[in-house]
Amino acid sequence: MKLSFCVGAVLLCAAAIAAAAEQVERSEVLTMGTKAGFQEARYADDGSVRVHYEFNDRGRGPRYDAEYRIAANGGLGAMTNKGNDYFKAAVDESFNRDGKTFRWKNSSEDETRTVDGEAFYLSLNGMPEEFVLLTRALLKAPDHRLAILPAGEARIEKLTELRVKGKPGAKKVTLYAIHGLDLTPSFIWLDDQQRFFASYSSWSSLVREGYDEVLPTLGRTQDAQEKQQAEQRAKTLTEPLTRPLLIRNVRAFDPASGSIVDDAAVLIDKGRIVAAGKAAEVAAPAAADTLDGGGKFLMPGLWDMHVHFFSPADGVLDIAGGVTTVRDLANNPPVLAERIKAIESNRDIGPRIIKAGIIDGPGPFAGPTKALADNEADAQRIVDDYAASGHEQIKIYSSIKPELMPAIARMAHAKGLRVSGHVPAYMTAQQFVENGADEIQHINMLMLNFLFDKVQDTRSPARFTSIGEYGAGIDLGSPAVRDFVALLKRRDIVVDPTLSTFEDMFLGRPGLPGPGFAAIQTRLPLTWQRSIKSGAGGLPIKPGQEAAYRDGYQRMIDFVGLLYRSGVRIVSGTDGSSGLQLQRELELYVAAGIPPKDVLRIATYDSAGVMKRDKEYGRIAPGYVADLILVDGDPTMNMADIRKVRTVIRGDRRYDSAKLFSAIGIAPSP
């Protein structure tokens, strides 16, 4: 008995010594203030770091277990990472450095490279703690710069310090900006021991356990830095139109009529079109400035009807790509209101933003929002709040109880709001329409109407994978499909297909990227190029299922063509990087059989009409708002030319597209 006790005591002592030899740091993932996951980092005295990281996002989300070995110079000596990525595909990644030899292997890369000088390898499936290691390496590096493997260069800048207090006590924390990894700087907060403290965004943050109450303070400080950068960009890259402007020598396209006027001229003043027509018919005052269009194609600015305006780069990206109006379908309302105010007062660059508010039900698959309704009283409060704050639409999400959906539709309509969304789980698209919806987001939601016998709980990634597994079997010529499409037409239901957001999801797989970004890949930052080439973002397709997923995606495209031919209204939306992705969305509509002129009408005049703005937006005609883009090519003949935007006019402001792209690290279109 005594011997057993002694053995147990020895084991306990050994465990205590081991625990003392490592420092454990735990941080929480907070999505709109709700705990969604955590990161746990264990620092050992031998220079190794073991990290676990996971979070849940509507049934999606990564789960990683990694071990890092830190080299004597503070750089990364070795790494292994196993688990699953955001879409639950298996992850097995390793890296090792031996002198000048760097070796790494992951799902799409298997490389050995000799490097003279210092470099830092960034994992394909990295986690927040890895950016801490990069931050430390950059702080030690000459000029605070390091080559990044496989490609690129990063530099670091110390911005500011704060003293904050949480439940574990007070801490001094420092905000750093890492440049070169994204379109705008990546921010990270470290404590005075250069350990991870927080990474903040208005949507989702990671913060040291016990310090979640300091996030608003960190956010205000970080936002001030971002606003300062945005204001400088706006000041440098915006040309205010203080006098009338005559745009001459252009081919002017009017989407409403489909007509193209050669040798045209357009006169704008105070943000609106004063006159438009043949050059000989348009007179300009003596004080007017002149823009020679060089025979290029002039058309109204594009509309993206499905965005989430989060990134500081979104506004610049949209305007650079010719997108002058967007509809935001879920955001943090006070943060979005501030962005809109900054853009409209010319303290930031961005499109006109129409606000739609999301509403979901509580539960493990709830969307990233505080607007959660479990009963009619909750729903009424949320709808009233959205109506009072200038939102024009309610977007119903997947976890709403089916029996609550009709009540939400009635409440929204009583406030003059449109109703759209995902079809709630355990509900068919037909029931969604019959119970008051005006619009449906995502073409897969329509296809699931015919797979209800196979999948009813569509809150999880099953709403994607079921299309890959069974979508190709949907007969678009069947009476059931025809009757459903007729219902959509009869009720004037709008469909927001977002084909481009599914393309790489269904067609990409490790080492074999989908075609979504093929046309612009080489223009993007090197870190983006690597992600695209890797096939990251693809669904975990089992061997032998590739053809089924490809055919399922093609059925999505075919369904959009059927909707168009049947007279169902379509709007152009991406649910992605609008200024880069909307052009691909429009190409996919052409692939669905929609004539290019009609595609351009969908992306301008028709979208404006859905939001009751077609009397002011979407045409080149007197009295209309002067949201115009000058294109080097003719997208009515070749939709790929829509990427060749050269000049953007957003009412009383003028922009050079190439300069905007260059400002956020993207090469201008050739």
mmCIF file of all heavy atoms in Angstrom, residues 96-134:
data_model
loop_
_atom_site.group_PDB
_atom_site.id
_atom_site.type_symbol
_atom_site.label_atom_id
_atom_site.label_comp_id
_atom_site.label_asym_id
_atom_site.label_seq_id
_atom_site.Cartn_x
_atom_site.Cartn_y
_atom_site.Cartn_z
ATOM 1 N N ASN A 96 10.481 21.178 -42.366
ATOM 2 C CA ASN A 96 11.740 21.003 -41.648
ATOM 3 C C ASN A 96 12.825 21.817 -42.336
ATOM 4 O O ASN A 96 12.895 21.864 -43.575
ATOM 5 C CB ASN A 96 12.153 19.535 -41.608
ATOM 6 C CG ASN A 96 13.381 19.322 -40.743
ATOM 7 O OD1 ASN A 96 13.326 19.434 -39.520
ATOM 8 N ND2 ASN A 96 14.508 19.038 -41.390
ATOM 9 N N ARG A 97 13.650 22.451 -41.514
ATOM 10 C CA ARG A 97 14.787 23.207 -42.037
ATOM 11 C C ARG A 97 16.072 22.580 -41.531
ATOM 12 O O ARG A 97 16.221 22.304 -40.335
ATOM 13 C CB ARG A 97 14.710 24.668 -41.592
ATOM 14 C CG ARG A 97 15.913 25.478 -42.056
ATOM 15 C CD ARG A 97 15.862 26.909 -41.579
ATOM 16 N NE ARG A 97 17.044 27.643 -42.031
ATOM 17 C CZ ARG A 97 17.271 28.930 -41.788
ATOM 18 N NH1 ARG A 97 16.387 29.627 -41.081
ATOM 19 N NH2 ARG A 97 18.371 29.506 -42.233
ATOM 20 N N ASP A 98 17.011 22.381 -42.472
ATOM 21 C CA ASP A 98 18.334 21.868 -42.139
ATOM 22 C C ASP A 98 19.355 22.780 -42.809
ATOM 23 O O ASP A 98 19.650 22.639 -43.997
ATOM 24 C CB ASP A 98 18.492 20.433 -42.626
ATOM 25 C CG ASP A 98 19.833 19.824 -42.221
ATOM 26 O OD1 ASP A 98 20.573 20.478 -41.455
ATOM 27 O OD2 ASP A 98 20.133 18.702 -42.674
ATOM 28 N N GLY A 99 19.846 23.772 -42.045
ATOM 29 C CA GLY A 99 20.761 24.743 -42.626
ATOM 30 C C GLY A 99 20.051 25.586 -43.670
ATOM 31 O O GLY A 99 19.065 26.271 -43.388
ATOM 32 N N LYS A 100 20.535 25.506 -44.915
ATOM 33 C CA LYS A 100 19.926 26.264 -46.004
ATOM 34 C C LYS A 100 18.832 25.484 -46.719
ATOM 35 O O LYS A 100 18.208 25.995 -47.645
ATOM 36 C CB LYS A 100 21.002 26.664 -47.027
ATOM 37 C CG LYS A 100 22.059 27.614 -46.500
ATOM 38 C CD LYS A 100 23.034 27.994 -47.617
ATOM 39 C CE LYS A 100 24.075 28.995 -47.113
ATOM 40 N NZ LYS A 100 25.007 29.389 -48.221
ATOM 41 N N THR A 101 18.604 24.267 -46.292
ATOM 42 C CA THR A 101 17.631 23.417 -46.974
ATOM 43 C C THR A 101 16.284 23.463 -46.257
ATOM 44 O O THR A 101 16.191 23.164 -45.066
ATOM 45 C CB THR A 101 18.128 21.966 -47.037
ATOM 46 O OG1 THR A 101 19.399 21.937 -47.695
ATOM 47 C CG2 THR A 101 17.142 21.101 -47.818
ATOM 48 N N PHE A 102 15.268 23.839 -46.999
ATOM 49 C CA PHE A 102 13.901 23.914 -46.476
ATOM 50 C C PHE A 102 13.056 22.856 -47.177
ATOM 51 O O PHE A 102 13.026 22.788 -48.415
ATOM 52 C CB PHE A 102 13.297 25.296 -46.744
ATOM 53 C CG PHE A 102 13.925 26.424 -45.968
ATOM 54 C CD1 PHE A 102 15.211 26.880 -46.272
ATOM 55 C CD2 PHE A 102 13.239 27.040 -44.941
ATOM 56 C CE1 PHE A 102 15.786 27.927 -45.563
ATOM 57 C CE2 PHE A 102 13.801 28.088 -44.226
ATOM 58 C CZ PHE A 102 15.080 28.530 -44.536
ATOM 59 N N ARG A 103 12.373 22.037 -46.402
ATOM 60 C CA ARG A 103 11.513 20.997 -46.979
ATOM 61 C C ARG A 103 10.113 21.132 -46.378
ATOM 62 O O ARG A 103 9.962 21.326 -45.179
ATOM 63 C CB ARG A 103 12.047 19.594 -46.668
ATOM 64 C CG ARG A 103 13.435 19.299 -47.204
ATOM 65 C CD ARG A 103 13.824 17.858 -46.892
ATOM 66 N NE ARG A 103 15.149 17.525 -47.388
ATOM 67 C CZ ARG A 103 16.271 17.698 -46.698
ATOM 68 N NH1 ARG A 103 16.206 18.187 -45.458
ATOM 69 N NH2 ARG A 103 17.441 17.365 -47.210
ATOM 70 N N TRP A 104 9.099 21.012 -47.235
ATOM 71 C CA TRP A 104 7.731 21.017 -46.722
ATOM 72 C C TRP A 104 6.825 20.153 -47.596
ATOM 73 O O TRP A 104 7.076 19.947 -48.783
ATOM 74 C CB TRP A 104 7.181 22.436 -46.604
ATOM 75 C CG TRP A 104 7.010 23.187 -47.893
ATOM 76 C CD1 TRP A 104 5.909 23.246 -48.692
ATOM 77 C CD2 TRP A 104 7.985 24.033 -48.517
ATOM 78 N NE1 TRP A 104 6.116 24.065 -49.766
ATOM 79 C CE2 TRP A 104 7.385 24.570 -49.685
ATOM 80 C CE3 TRP A 104 9.307 24.403 -48.205
ATOM 81 C CZ2 TRP A 104 8.064 25.445 -50.546
ATOM 82 C CZ3 TRP A 104 9.963 25.266 -49.063
ATOM 83 C CH2 TRP A 104 9.350 25.777 -50.209
ATOM 84 N N LYS A 105 5.803 19.637 -46.958
ATOM 85 C CA LYS A 105 4.855 18.777 -47.652
ATOM 86 C C LYS A 105 3.468 18.996 -47.050
ATOM 87 O O LYS A 105 3.299 19.054 -45.836
ATOM 88 C CB LYS A 105 5.255 17.305 -47.510
ATOM 89 C CG LYS A 105 4.367 16.343 -48.301
ATOM 90 C CD LYS A 105 4.880 14.908 -48.186
ATOM 91 C CE LYS A 105 4.016 13.956 -49.022
ATOM 92 N NZ LYS A 105 4.500 12.560 -48.927
ATOM 93 N N ASN A 106 2.479 19.136 -47.928
ATOM 94 C CA ASN A 106 1.083 19.249 -47.504
ATOM 95 C C ASN A 106 0.197 18.644 -48.581
ATOM 96 O O ASN A 106 0.698 17.926 -49.466
ATOM 97 C CB ASN A 106 0.714 20.712 -47.203
ATOM 98 C CG ASN A 106 1.078 21.641 -48.348
ATOM 99 O OD1 ASN A 106 0.679 21.408 -49.491
ATOM 100 N ND2 ASN A 106 1.830 22.689 -48.053
ATOM 101 N N SER A 107 -1.073 18.923 -48.562
ATOM 102 C CA SER A 107 -2.001 18.273 -49.487
ATOM 103 C C SER A 107 -1.753 18.621 -50.940
ATOM 104 O O SER A 107 -2.167 17.885 -51.839
ATOM 105 C CB SER A 107 -3.443 18.639 -49.119
ATOM 106 O OG SER A 107 -3.636 20.050 -49.194
ATOM 107 N N SER A 108 -1.061 19.728 -51.217
ATOM 108 C CA SER A 108 -0.849 20.114 -52.618
ATOM 109 C C SER A 108 0.594 20.466 -52.945
ATOM 110 O O SER A 108 0.918 20.734 -54.094
ATOM 111 C CB SER A 108 -1.734 21.318 -52.966
ATOM 112 O OG SER A 108 -1.348 22.453 -52.212
ATOM 113 N N GLU A 109 1.495 20.457 -51.952
ATOM 114 C CA GLU A 109 2.884 20.835 -52.181
ATOM 115 C C GLU A 109 3.814 19.792 -51.582
ATOM 116 O O GLU A 109 3.536 19.248 -50.515
ATOM 117 C CB GLU A 109 3.187 22.200 -51.544
ATOM 118 C CG GLU A 109 2.342 23.336 -52.073
ATOM 119 C CD GLU A 109 2.433 24.586 -51.209
ATOM 120 O OE1 GLU A 109 2.746 24.463 -50.001
ATOM 121 O OE2 GLU A 109 2.175 25.680 -51.737
ATOM 122 N N ASP A 110 4.905 19.525 -52.282
ATOM 123 C CA ASP A 110 5.954 18.632 -51.792
ATOM 124 C C ASP A 110 7.261 19.180 -52.351
ATOM 125 O O ASP A 110 7.663 18.851 -53.466
ATOM 126 C CB ASP A 110 5.703 17.197 -52.259
ATOM 127 C CG ASP A 110 6.670 16.200 -51.622
ATOM 128 O OD1 ASP A 110 7.599 16.645 -50.915
ATOM 129 O OD2 ASP A 110 6.494 14.987 -51.834
ATOM 130 N N GLU A 111 7.912 20.067 -51.598
ATOM 131 C CA GLU A 111 9.035 20.826 -52.139
ATOM 132 C C GLU A 111 10.254 20.763 -51.223
ATOM 133 O O GLU A 111 10.134 20.663 -49.999
ATOM 134 C CB GLU A 111 8.656 22.303 -52.332
ATOM 135 C CG GLU A 111 7.621 22.545 -53.424
ATOM 136 C CD GLU A 111 7.496 24.018 -53.760
ATOM 137 O OE1 GLU A 111 8.539 24.714 -53.833
ATOM 138 O OE2 GLU A 111 6.355 24.479 -53.958
ATOM 139 N N THR A 112 11.411 20.876 -51.864
ATOM 140 C CA THR A 112 12.680 21.071 -51.182
ATOM 141 C C THR A 112 13.368 22.243 -51.860
ATOM 142 O O THR A 112 13.471 22.281 -53.099
ATOM 143 C CB THR A 112 13.567 19.828 -51.267
ATOM 144 O OG1 THR A 112 12.896 18.728 -50.649
ATOM 145 C CG2 THR A 112 14.901 20.069 -50.580
ATOM 146 N N ARG A 113 13.821 23.193 -51.065
ATOM 147 C CA ARG A 113 14.393 24.395 -51.655
ATOM 148 C C ARG A 113 15.604 24.831 -50.840
ATOM 149 O O ARG A 113 15.596 24.776 -49.601
ATOM 150 C CB ARG A 113 13.358 25.509 -51.698
ATOM 151 C CG ARG A 113 13.737 26.667 -52.618
ATOM 152 C CD ARG A 113 12.652 27.738 -52.617
ATOM 153 N NE ARG A 113 11.356 27.232 -53.054
ATOM 154 C CZ ARG A 113 10.263 27.994 -53.120
ATOM 155 N NH1 ARG A 113 10.325 29.260 -52.741
ATOM 156 N NH2 ARG A 113 9.118 27.476 -53.534
ATOM 157 N N THR A 114 16.646 25.259 -51.542
ATOM 158 C CA THR A 114 17.827 25.824 -50.897
ATOM 159 C C THR A 114 17.691 27.335 -50.871
ATOM 160 O O THR A 114 17.449 27.961 -51.907
ATOM 161 C CB THR A 114 19.112 25.434 -51.637
ATOM 162 O OG1 THR A 114 19.229 23.998 -51.654
ATOM 163 C CG2 THR A 114 20.335 26.030 -50.955
ATOM 164 N N VAL A 115 17.838 27.910 -49.676
ATOM 165 C CA VAL A 115 17.611 29.345 -49.507
ATOM 166 C C VAL A 115 18.830 29.962 -48.833
ATOM 167 O O VAL A 115 19.246 29.516 -47.756
ATOM 168 C CB VAL A 115 16.354 29.617 -48.663
ATOM 169 C CG1 VAL A 115 16.157 31.115 -48.471
ATOM 170 C CG2 VAL A 115 15.126 28.986 -49.305
ATOM 171 N N ASP A 116 19.410 30.971 -49.471
ATOM 172 C CA ASP A 116 20.471 31.750 -48.852
ATOM 173 C C ASP A 116 19.826 32.866 -48.034
ATOM 174 O O ASP A 116 18.969 33.598 -48.533
ATOM 175 C CB ASP A 116 21.399 32.351 -49.910
ATOM 176 C CG ASP A 116 22.233 31.282 -50.603
ATOM 177 O OD1 ASP A 116 22.683 30.368 -49.907
ATOM 178 O OD2 ASP A 116 22.401 31.366 -51.833
ATOM 179 N N GLY A 117 20.218 33.006 -46.797
ATOM 180 C CA GLY A 117 19.622 34.032 -45.957
ATOM 181 C C GLY A 117 18.437 33.484 -45.185
ATOM 182 O O GLY A 117 18.103 32.301 -45.251
ATOM 183 N N GLU A 118 17.803 34.368 -44.453
ATOM 184 C CA GLU A 118 16.704 33.958 -43.595
ATOM 185 C C GLU A 118 15.378 33.951 -44.360
ATOM 186 O O GLU A 118 15.164 34.745 -45.277
ATOM 187 C CB GLU A 118 16.597 34.883 -42.381
ATOM 188 C CG GLU A 118 17.756 34.737 -41.409
ATOM 189 C CD GLU A 118 17.901 33.303 -40.914
ATOM 190 O OE1 GLU A 118 16.879 32.671 -40.595
ATOM 191 O OE2 GLU A 118 19.046 32.813 -40.848
ATOM 192 N N ALA A 119 14.509 33.040 -43.964
ATOM 193 C CA ALA A 119 13.173 32.946 -44.558
ATOM 194 C C ALA A 119 12.256 32.296 -43.531
ATOM 195 O O ALA A 119 12.709 31.598 -42.620
ATOM 196 C CB ALA A 119 13.203 32.133 -45.847
ATOM 197 N N PHE A 120 10.973 32.521 -43.688
ATOM 198 C CA PHE A 120 9.983 31.950 -42.778
ATOM 199 C C PHE A 120 8.953 31.192 -43.606
ATOM 200 O O PHE A 120 8.356 31.751 -44.534
ATOM 201 C CB PHE A 120 9.297 33.052 -41.966
ATOM 202 C CG PHE A 120 8.469 32.535 -40.811
ATOM 203 C CD1 PHE A 120 8.994 32.492 -39.540
ATOM 204 C CD2 PHE A 120 7.163 32.087 -41.010
ATOM 205 C CE1 PHE A 120 8.248 32.015 -38.466
ATOM 206 C CE2 PHE A 120 6.404 31.611 -39.956
ATOM 207 C CZ PHE A 120 6.950 31.575 -38.675
ATOM 208 N N TYR A 121 8.751 29.919 -43.274
ATOM 209 C CA TYR A 121 7.745 29.114 -43.958
ATOM 210 C C TYR A 121 6.381 29.329 -43.308
ATOM 211 O O TYR A 121 6.229 29.182 -42.081
ATOM 212 C CB TYR A 121 8.105 27.627 -43.895
ATOM 213 C CG TYR A 121 7.014 26.731 -44.435
ATOM 214 C CD1 TYR A 121 6.811 26.601 -45.801
ATOM 215 C CD2 TYR A 121 6.168 26.040 -43.568
ATOM 216 C CE1 TYR A 121 5.795 25.795 -46.301
ATOM 217 C CE2 TYR A 121 5.155 25.229 -44.056
ATOM 218 C CZ TYR A 121 4.967 25.119 -45.425
ATOM 219 O OH TYR A 121 3.956 24.323 -45.914
ATOM 220 N N LEU A 122 5.378 29.682 -44.120
ATOM 221 C CA LEU A 122 4.002 29.818 -43.645
ATOM 222 C C LEU A 122 3.220 28.581 -44.054
ATOM 223 O O LEU A 122 3.186 28.213 -45.236
ATOM 224 C CB LEU A 122 3.338 31.057 -44.246
ATOM 225 C CG LEU A 122 3.502 32.380 -43.506
ATOM 226 C CD1 LEU A 122 2.718 33.468 -44.217
ATOM 227 C CD2 LEU A 122 3.058 32.272 -42.048
ATOM 228 N N SER A 123 2.584 27.953 -43.093
ATOM 229 C CA SER A 123 1.821 26.743 -43.377
ATOM 230 C C SER A 123 0.672 27.033 -44.327
ATOM 231 O O SER A 123 0.098 28.126 -44.337
ATOM 232 C CB SER A 123 1.238 26.158 -42.084
ATOM 233 O OG SER A 123 2.247 25.897 -41.154
ATOM 234 N N LEU A 124 0.318 26.030 -45.100
ATOM 235 C CA LEU A 124 -0.860 26.150 -45.945
ATOM 236 C C LEU A 124 -2.115 26.202 -45.087
ATOM 237 O O LEU A 124 -3.071 26.909 -45.402
ATOM 238 C CB LEU A 124 -0.934 24.954 -46.912
ATOM 239 C CG LEU A 124 -2.082 24.961 -47.917
ATOM 240 C CD1 LEU A 124 -1.996 26.173 -48.836
ATOM 241 C CD2 LEU A 124 -2.064 23.673 -48.740
ATOM 242 N N ASN A 125 -2.105 25.465 -43.982
ATOM 243 C CA ASN A 125 -3.238 25.448 -43.054
ATOM 244 C C ASN A 125 -2.771 25.968 -41.697
ATOM 245 O O ASN A 125 -2.797 25.263 -40.693
ATOM 246 C CB ASN A 125 -3.803 24.030 -42.920
ATOM 247 C CG ASN A 125 -4.396 23.518 -44.207
ATOM 248 O OD1 ASN A 125 -5.504 23.881 -44.580
ATOM 249 N ND2 ASN A 125 -3.641 22.683 -44.923
ATOM 250 N N GLY A 126 -2.324 27.214 -41.688
ATOM 251 C CA GLY A 126 -1.777 27.786 -40.474
ATOM 252 C C GLY A 126 -2.853 28.163 -39.478
ATOM 253 O O GLY A 126 -4.044 28.182 -39.767
ATOM 254 N N MET A 127 -2.430 28.466 -38.264
ATOM 255 C CA MET A 127 -3.336 28.869 -37.194
ATOM 256 C C MET A 127 -2.818 30.163 -36.591
ATOM 257 O O MET A 127 -1.680 30.584 -36.875
ATOM 258 C CB MET A 127 -3.462 27.767 -36.157
ATOM 259 C CG MET A 127 -2.166 27.323 -35.530
ATOM 260 S SD MET A 127 -2.408 25.881 -34.453
ATOM 261 C CE MET A 127 -2.644 24.579 -35.653
ATOM 262 N N PRO A 128 -3.596 30.830 -35.769
ATOM 263 C CA PRO A 128 -3.173 32.138 -35.258
ATOM 264 C C PRO A 128 -1.807 32.142 -34.589
ATOM 265 O O PRO A 128 -1.034 33.085 -34.751
ATOM 266 C CB PRO A 128 -4.290 32.489 -34.272
ATOM 267 C CG PRO A 128 -5.498 31.804 -34.816
ATOM 268 C CD PRO A 128 -4.994 30.514 -35.383
ATOM 269 N N GLU A 129 -1.485 31.106 -33.815
ATOM 270 C CA GLU A 129 -0.208 31.095 -33.105
ATOM 271 C C GLU A 129 0.978 31.169 -34.055
ATOM 272 O O GLU A 129 2.044 31.682 -33.696
ATOM 273 C CB GLU A 129 -0.105 29.848 -32.228
ATOM 274 C CG GLU A 129 1.019 29.889 -31.214
ATOM 275 C CD GLU A 129 0.794 30.941 -30.131
ATOM 276 O OE1 GLU A 129 -0.381 31.256 -29.842
ATOM 277 O OE2 GLU A 129 1.797 31.436 -29.581
ATOM 278 N N GLU A 130 0.792 30.676 -35.266
ATOM 279 C CA GLU A 130 1.883 30.739 -36.239
ATOM 280 C C GLU A 130 2.240 32.181 -36.579
ATOM 281 O O GLU A 130 3.399 32.504 -36.851
ATOM 282 C CB GLU A 130 1.488 29.971 -37.504
ATOM 283 C CG GLU A 130 2.644 29.744 -38.451
ATOM 284 C CD GLU A 130 2.303 28.717 -39.506
ATOM 285 O OE1 GLU A 130 1.923 27.582 -39.142
ATOM 286 O OE2 GLU A 130 2.401 29.059 -40.701
ATOM 287 N N PHE A 131 1.250 33.069 -36.539
ATOM 288 C CA PHE A 131 1.527 34.476 -36.803
ATOM 289 C C PHE A 131 2.290 35.112 -35.645
ATOM 290 O O PHE A 131 3.005 36.090 -35.833
ATOM 291 C CB PHE A 131 0.229 35.224 -37.092
ATOM 292 C CG PHE A 131 -0.279 34.992 -38.483
ATOM 293 C CD1 PHE A 131 -1.049 33.881 -38.791
ATOM 294 C CD2 PHE A 131 0.052 35.876 -39.496
ATOM 295 C CE1 PHE A 131 -1.492 33.659 -40.080
ATOM 296 C CE2 PHE A 131 -0.389 35.661 -40.788
ATOM 297 C CZ PHE A 131 -1.160 34.547 -41.086
ATOM 298 N N VAL A 132 2.151 34.557 -34.457
ATOM 299 C CA VAL A 132 2.965 35.011 -33.336
ATOM 300 C C VAL A 132 4.432 34.676 -33.607
ATOM 301 O O VAL A 132 5.326 35.503 -33.416
ATOM 302 C CB VAL A 132 2.503 34.358 -32.023
ATOM 303 C CG1 VAL A 132 3.392 34.787 -30.863
ATOM 304 C CG2 VAL A 132 1.051 34.699 -31.739
ATOM 305 N N LEU A 133 4.673 33.462 -34.069
ATOM 306 C CA LEU A 133 6.039 33.048 -34.383
ATOM 307 C C LEU A 133 6.623 33.900 -35.509
ATOM 308 O O LEU A 133 7.793 34.289 -35.463
ATOM 309 C CB LEU A 133 6.058 31.567 -34.770
ATOM 310 C CG LEU A 133 5.437 30.597 -33.762
ATOM 311 C CD1 LEU A 133 5.553 29.162 -34.268
ATOM 312 C CD2 LEU A 133 6.074 30.739 -32.386
ATOM 313 N N LEU A 134 5.785 34.197 -36.507
ATOM 314 C CA LEU A 134 6.238 35.066 -37.591
ATOM 315 C C LEU A 134 6.537 36.470 -37.068
ATOM 316 O O LEU A 134 7.550 37.082 -37.445
ATOM 317 C CB LEU A 134 5.173 35.126 -38.689
ATOM 318 C CG LEU A 134 5.429 36.145 -39.814
ATOM 319 C CD1 LEU A 134 6.721 35.831 -40.554
ATOM 320 C CD2 LEU A 134 4.250 36.181 -40.778
#
